[in-house]
Amino acid sequence: MALAAFTGPAPTQDTEPAVRRKSGIALVLLLPGVAYLVLFFLTPLVSLIITSFQTPVPDGDIGQYQAAFQWSNYTDAISEYWPQILRSFAYALIATAAALVISYPLAYFIGVKMRGRPLAQNLLMTLVIAPFFISFLLRTLAWKSILSDDGVVASALRAISVLPPDAHITGTPFSVIFGLTYNFIPFMTLPLYSTLERLDVRLLEAGQDLYANAWTTFRKVTVPLSMPGIVSGTLLTFIPAAGDYINASQDFLGAADTSMIGNVIESNFLVLQNYPAAAAMSVVLMAVILVIVGVYVRRSGTEDLL
């Protein structure tokens, strides 16, 4: 009797069909999402991998390839384009660090200092995401005009003798990294704001009560508690920045010697029609990013984000 009271009534035969019905309903609800992932993610990924092993058709025209298992597509692409690979990750890393330095104080001010003022918070967050209302291309073209040799920035720097007369801002690593940082700052700010807005300010007050100065409280309390936002923001910034091809393009802020892996993939796909090389570089980019993200998340102690 006592054991039955604790365990409850034994399951009846009527409960088993109910459980099966619920499982069937859950499966039906999952089918659209699974079909979407298979159609728009898994299928293109498999097609990309197959393309990366193709070989040119003998005596065929440019852009004609046939199924094969050509491992040399990867080795040839890496040996030829390794400077663009290194440059891409270096630019993305610097842009991510710069975006973090800019976005953290901004998110802290909006999420912590402006807490209790919802109108001001909403207004400031609207200003943060306002660039999203304008096309990515238009924003980059605008900065190309601003940073051009005849633009206001270059003219002002030459007027105060900071920029030499024959120097340029566009077409340099600085302009590419600047463009990456500017375009991806909202991706860094939003996760940071989401984490800091939920931060318990009583923990900051406790640090002060324990005679910790502002810097120690920030380093020992605020930063560890905001690590999920930092990790999410850096991933949302680094991943698209590493594969970006707009800012580094010669038509925008870059030049021939600032091209990134995204520019290599674009030119091989659309201009050279070397589809296996472009596909191989795309697979390499995804693989390297997956390794970097996995190591970074585990070293940061936020494995739950994977």
Side-chain angles (χ1 to χ4, degrees), residues 233-251:
T234 50
L235 293 181
L236 289 175
T237 302
F238 177 82
I239 293 174
D244 181 78
Y245 67 95
I246 298 297
N247 293 277
S249 173
Q250 299 182 50
D251 296 328

Side-chain angles (χ1 to χ4, degrees), residues 8 53 61 74-75 83 102 135 148 171 175 213 215 248 276 290-291 297 302:
F53 289 108
D61 296 332
Y74 284 88
T75 56
I102 296 172
S135 169
S148 65
S175 63
N213 56 35
W215 168 246
L290 283 175
V291 172
V297 171
T302 54

